Amino acid sequence: ALTRPTTLFEEPIIICFPDGRLRLINAYVLILAQSHLLSLVYQVEQNRRQLAESLERIGRELSSSLSLKKVTKRILKELFKVVTYERGLVMLQQDNYLHVLAKRGFPAGFTREDLSIPIRPTEDDIFNRIVARNEPIRIGDVLTYTSWSQLDRLPLNHSWLGVPLVLRERVIGMISLTRAEQNAFNEDDETLVLAFASQAAVALENARLYDEITQFNEHLETMVQQRTVELNQTNALLARLDKTKSDFINVSAHELRTPITVISGYAQMLKGLQPIQENDTAVSIVSGIMSGIERLHNIVNSMLDIAKIDNNTLHLHREAVDLTEQLNTICLNLEADAQARQIELDCSQLPPLPAVTADPDLLGKLFRGIIINGLKYTPDGGRVEISGRALMDTTPNYVEIAIRDTGIGIAAENLELIFEKFFQTGELLVHSSGQTKFKGGGPGLGLAIAKGIVQAHNGKIWAASAGYDEERLPGSTFFVRLPI
Ligand code: ADP
């Protein structure tokens, strides 16, 4: 009508009404009617936009909560803002059961368990039909639905709307809404609940996963607690065993000292006897006995040192110690042993160092032990080098000594373990006479004592090596840091 030529604009128009009747209508009336129609369309569009916004808001609110209980309750609460209903349920399928996660509008005395229902293995089971169609189902009056099962105690609501909860194309449950009067739900309600249900399904899944993680965390927590108790018990047991071991070392070292002193005294007497001195074989036998006793003596002393370190009874007699001088003396004393194995023992790199306030005897034992180890684990023809430096920009200031060898090296996993008492790597030659013999056996106490001595001086000791390799000989470096 609006596109009619202006000359015909005033003419009435024949209109066919929806009921089939024909009428004459003035063009102005038609224009008016059309503009009313447009405003209606605008109103519908407006409503749709508001609805989309509120659905989006609801979706956001739903996914902001992660507890399964809260989310399901909220679904029904938010749904009520969009669609009018009297009683509502959120149900999830678990095997042959529809479990109620949340309910709203039910009379007091109905638990979620009361409202959960079995899924019957028939086609007309209402949930099975929803699953099969993957679409909402609306029933105007449940009394007309033959396989409807109604809880006796529950007042009858005639209208029912069931909407599938779909996750990754699978129906995982449904939202069930009822109203007392017949035919209460319309197509719009169906569309709305469906839009809502897709948001709800995602929120439910998130919450379910979150619940699973929370439960798993709680389970882990209890496991950790149990393990901690077990570990504490084991630790206590180990501490008791370690104490027993320390006590044993202490007692046996003390007990061994007396007979060693006696044997040592008799050996001295033997050595002085005329007939022995006149017989070369007898002289070498006696000196063999004496060097054996000396070794035994050293071992017993190491055992006593360890016992003192373990019992925290290592007393320091502190005085100013010039480490450069002390290390040079040790090198000089070990020079013959090094030469016997063509090992170059080099102390010449040592600069003058500030004095440290320390126990000179214990430091002597510490460095001697590490240098002897350097000789012991370096094959003939190698090199052991001692260097040092003062660290004056740290608090406190330190002197750091490094003992570097060109020996068999230490595997990374043993770099810390070697400082444990009785720890030895590889197979050592158990019967060795010389203290600096290549890979000669020892009681495995040297580095444990070294660590005890360094710690008693508030210092630090550690080893570095590119690994253990008897052919490539990567060497090892032992560092000792002592506060000045
Ligand atoms: P011991 O020498 O009596 O066995 P230590 O406590 O002195 O005991 O040393 C423990 C272990 O550390 C040794 O058995 C050896 O395996 C390793 N070790 C110590 N020093 C070195 C070194 N310089 N090079 C290679 N391995 C070493």
Side-chain angles (χ1 to χ4, degrees), residues 87 106 110 117 120 142-143 147-158 160 178:
R87 295 198 296 255
F106 282 83
F110 282 93
I117 45 170
R120 276 168 296 130
V142 293
L143 291 182
S147 60
W148 187 262
S149 62
Q150 174 77 17
L151 273 183
D152 294 341
R153 297 183 286 140
L154 203 59
L156 181 73
N157 274 2
H158 287 277
W160 185 80
T178 61

Side-chain angles (χ1 to χ4, degrees), residues 370 373-374 376-377 405 408-410 418 420 423-426 428 440-448 476 478:
I370 299 176
N373 273 353
K376 212 159 78 168
Y377 297 103
D405 63 53
I408 57 176
I410 301 162
I418 50 174
E420 295 298 320
F423 182 85
Q424 290 173 321
T425 63
L428 299 176
L445 291 176
L447 288 179
S476 318
F478 282 77

Side-chain angles (χ1 to χ4, degrees), residues 382-397:
R383 179 179 159 80
V384 177
E385 177 192 296
I386 294 107
S387 58
R389 61 178 180 149
L391 298 163
M392 304 309 275
D393 51 1
T394 54
T395 338
N397 299 150

Side-chain angles (χ1 to χ4, degrees), residues 128-157:
N128 281 343
R129 278 188 60 194
I130 285 192
V131 173
R133 293 173 50 176
N134 198 354
E135 268 178 23
I137 290 182
R138 225 176 337 133
I139 302 176
D141 187 351
V142 293
L143 291 182
T144 61
Y145 195 80
T146 40
S147 60
W148 187 262
S149 62
Q150 174 77 17
L151 273 183
D152 294 341
R153 297 183 286 140
L154 203 59
L156 181 73
N157 274 2

